[in-house]
Amino acid sequence: MLKLTTLLAELKELIQAKTNHPYLQMFLEKPTIDEDKLLLLAGLFNDLEITEADRKKYIVSTMLVQMALDAHESVTNSNVPDYDGSQMKSRQLTVLAGDYYSGLYYQLLAEVENITLIRVLASAIKDVNEHKILLYQKSLSDMSGLIKTLKAIESSLIRKVAESMGSPVWKDLAEDILLLNRLHLEKKSYLETGQSIIFEILKKMFYPKKDKSGPLSNEQAAFVLNKMDQCIASAHASLRRTLEKKGPKQGVLASRIGAILDYTAHAANSFVEEG
């Protein structure tokens, strides 16, 4: 078992080396590594009695799947004029990058002959994509369904791996941490840019006629934001309960969870005060 900070540094180097494709990087930005998901995977696999080589291959493989999913999701049908074809080329290369990362993950797992983990990740990919369809089609009709879908999108990979490895504590931590993170980022995006798929879904839930008839009033927008804060407050409380039962008490993961709880506390407290 490696010290977690040492393992994280080594994993980042391995992922960057694996995803380094000179042609893709001529046109695309370096792929982003979701550091919270990497931290959760590192903690999960660092608890298991497996070889260091296999541990790194399992974590890197799972992160490559995550990066492939993220790459495919980032491809959008932009309405910005594409006079020189550069946007189309960027979208095509982004799709290819996602496919490239997927191929790398299959290669790594084939090297350790872990068919079980391939099946687990394939099942998780299916869950993530099914719930992304629900989210982007805005076909969710209640808040509990929305939360279930966000949990699936954000944590299915880690949850299913944790279940297959007999490590339920990491399943619960992943669900709570990653849901809270996603909700916070969605609210931040709405406040800074006016764009948030979660805001749009909540708007459709509570003001269905406004979906086609025009923008919300200030009072209506404040109501929808309050519903976002309600989701954040619930996720915040759930993470605190999980920590009280079985969360890490010290170390890099405990510090990171503390930071997440701190920067999401305002929204959680705002809802409690207004409620």
Side-chain angles (χ1 to χ4, degrees), residues 128-194:
V128 170
N129 286 331
E130 286 177 350
H131 281 279
K132 281 184 178 180
I133 291 170
L134 291 175
L135 188 73
Y136 288 100
Q137 286 184 341
K138 302 177 187 176
S139 53
L140 300 160
S141 58
D142 57 67
M143 289 176 66
S144 63
L146 173 60
I147 295 302
K148 179 181 177 182
T149 283
L150 289 175
K151 280 185 176 181
I153 291 171
E154 294 301 318
S155 62
S156 279
L157 285 176
I158 300 173
R159 176 172 57 82
K160 285 184 175 288
V161 170
E163 288 172 347
S164 73
M165 299 293 178
S167 301
V169 61
W170 294 100
K171 165 187 171 293
D172 296 337
L173 278 172
E175 283 188 342
D176 287 340
I177 291 169
L178 299 176
L179 172 65
L180 184 55
N181 257 351
R182 176 65 184 266
L183 290 169
H184 168 75
L185 290 173
E186 288 286 341
K187 182 180 178 183
K188 185 172 182 283
S189 175
Y190 178 77
L191 293 175
E192 293 178 355
T193 69

Side-chain angles (χ1 to χ4, degrees), residues 4 39-40 43 47 169-170 173 177 239 242-258 261:
L4 202 52
L39 178 56
L40 285 162
D47 277 354
V169 61
W170 294 100
L173 278 172
I177 291 169
L239 177 54
T242 297
L243 285 176
E244 288 171 4
K245 292 178 187 176
K246 48 197 171 185
K249 306 303 179 186
Q250 58 186 3
V252 62
L253 181 58
S255 297
R256 177 58 186 151
I257 294 172
L261 287 169

Side-chain angles (χ1 to χ4, degrees), residues 33-214:
I33 298 172
D34 188 318
E35 298 206 4
D36 287 326
K37 290 176 182 174
L38 180 61
L39 178 56
L40 285 162
L41 284 168
L44 162 59
F45 280 101
N46 214 32
D47 277 354
L48 302 178
E49 295 297 326
I50 56 178
T51 68
E52 295 299 336
D54 283 355
R55 178 177 290 115
K56 290 174 183 177
K57 284 182 179 179
Y58 294 160
I59 297 171
V60 171
S61 297
T62 308
M63 283 305 299
L64 287 171
V65 174
Q66 183 64 58
M67 293 166 76
L69 289 167
D70 292 344
H72 287 149
E73 187 173 3
S74 72
V75 179
T76 58
N77 295 317
S78 174
N79 292 321
V80 177
D82 189 17
Y83 299 115
D84 60 359
S86 60
Q87 290 184 41
M88 177 60 74
K89 182 170 185 176
S90 176
R91 289 197 291 271
Q92 290 171 337
L93 287 172
T94 302
V95 171
L96 288 173
D99 293 342
Y100 176 62
Y101 304 148
S102 295
L104 290 172
Y105 118 76
Y106 281 116
Q107 180 188 36
L108 276 176
L109 291 183
E111 289 175 5
V112 292
E113 299 180 348
N114 194 320
I115 304 302
T116 299
L117 188 54
I118 290 176
R119 288 175 178 156
V120 168
L121 292 175
S123 174
I125 292 168
K126 176 176 174 288
D127 281 359
V128 170
N129 286 331
E130 286 177 350
H131 281 279
K132 281 184 178 180
I133 291 170
L134 291 175
L135 188 73
Y136 288 100
Q137 286 184 341
K138 302 177 187 176
S139 53
L140 300 160
S141 58
D142 57 67
M143 289 176 66
S144 63
L146 173 60
I147 295 302
K148 179 181 177 182
T149 283
L150 289 175
K151 280 185 176 181
I153 291 171
E154 294 301 318
S155 62
S156 279
L157 285 176
I158 300 173
R159 176 172 57 82
K160 285 184 175 288
V161 170
E163 288 172 347
S164 73
M165 299 293 178
S167 301
V169 61
W170 294 100
K171 165 187 171 293
D172 296 337
L173 278 172
E175 283 188 342
D176 287 340
I177 291 169
L178 299 176
L179 172 65
L180 184 55
N181 257 351
R182 176 65 184 266
L183 290 169
H184 168 75
L185 290 173
E186 288 286 341
K187 182 180 178 183
K188 185 172 182 283
S189 175
Y190 178 77
L191 293 175
E192 293 178 355
T193 69
Q195 302 295 317
S196 164
I197 186 66
I198 307 305
F199 185 94
E200 290 301 315
I201 289 171
L202 290 171
K203 170 187 169 182
K204 187 177 180 181
M205 283 182 194
F206 295 101
Y207 300 103
K209 294 181 180 179
K210 284 288 187 179
D211 200 40
K212 296 181 180 178
S213 65

